Amino acid sequence: MNREKMELLVGVIHWEEFVDNVDRLLIQRFPNGIETLMLEIPTNWHQVGYYRVPNFFLELAGRYSKRGTKIIYGDADLPKRLTRWTLLKHYFSHKRDKLMANNVEKENPQVAVVAKRHANYIKRSFPEVPYVAFGLVASDKVEAIIYKLLDRAYKPNQVINLAPRLPLEQYSNE
């Protein structure tokens, strides 16, 4: 592998319904395949019961490992017991963000696909890396304000907006 740096950072909304959108983007950008792909998967994902299987990143890992891509697990190990306090502590300390940025530096993946919040942090650490961010199309003005405030990508080279499917609960009354 003679690459000097990561070729693409992708910030995603990791809802399972959007896996195909990310896959299409990667196939379009890398028609000859991807050598190494870092994903937001903890190294101990198979040992803890609350990590949902299948999930967005595991689905991508399965698809790309079948295509010969080396998968790099880029997230922190999950604690044996997940609490709200653990989640808040990780969120405000940027512990996972820092670990993912360190993994990018250490492993030098060709492509990294992580949640947009983590991708924003990584982009600040690696400003020269091209960044594609996925966003959501707002369905009303309130959502538009929330997305603008909370869902903004940090200096993306490209933003791909996706229209979310309505939650299943909204269909159950019909």
Side-chain angles (χ1 to χ4, degrees):
M1 183 166 42
N2 294 330
R3 289 179 300 99
E4 291 183 28
K5 62 180 181 173
M6 183 167 54
E7 295 176 27
L8 183 64
L9 172 63
V10 181
V12 298
I13 296 153
H14 49 93
W15 298 352
E16 284 136 20
E17 66 199 79
F18 297 142
V19 170
D20 291 336
N21 299 83
V22 174
D23 195 16
R24 277 192 295 275
L25 168 78
L26 296 178
I27 290 169
Q28 179 187 30
R29 286 285 186 98
F30 302 94
N32 295 327
I34 297 171
E35 289 178 31
T36 56
L37 175 63
M38 187 180 99
L39 297 169
E40 185 183 326
I41 300 175
T43 56
N44 67 339
W45 69 269
H46 55 285
Q47 296 170 347
V48 290
Y50 57 83
Y51 194 73
R52 294 186 325 153
V53 178
N55 99 346
F56 183 94
F57 296 108
L58 292 177
E59 175 65 26
L60 281 176
R63 291 180 186 193
Y64 280 84
S65 62
K66 286 178 185 173
R67 297 174 190 163
T69 300
K70 177 186 173 194
I71 303 301
I72 299 167
Y73 297 155
D75 202 356
D77 282 353
L78 290 168
K80 294 203 184 297
R81 187 167 171 262
L82 189 64
T83 64
R84 288 185 184 141
W85 172 247
T86 306
L87 290 172
L88 283 172
K89 188 170 72 172
H90 281 280
Y91 185 86
F92 289 109
S93 71
H94 292 283
K95 183 178 179 180
R96 290 175 62 209
D97 300 328
K98 292 173 187 172
L99 177 88
M100 288 183 205
N102 287 339
N103 284 339
V104 165
E105 189 168 4
K106 183 175 80 175
E107 299 288 340
N108 191 25
Q110 183 178 5
V111 177
V113 178
V114 297
K116 190 166 26 175
R117 181 178 168 275
H118 303 304
N120 287 341
Y121 188 93
I122 293 168
K123 177 64 175 175
R124 286 179 177 91
S125 300
F126 301 90
E128 72 286 351
V129 173
Y131 176 27
V132 174
F134 281 85
L136 290 175
V137 174
S139 61
D140 58 28
K141 288 181 182 180
V142 173
E143 270 188 9
I145 292 168
I146 291 170
Y147 292 165
K148 187 165 186 131
L149 293 173
L150 300 178
D151 197 44
R152 193 176 326 191
Y154 178 76
K155 296 188 177 179
N157 301 88
Q158 179 183 3
V159 176
I160 299 171
N161 286 311
L162 303 169
R165 182 184 61 191
L166 291 173
L168 187 58
E169 297 81 32
Q170 293 188 19
Y171 294 109
S172 62
N173 293 334
E174 294 179 7

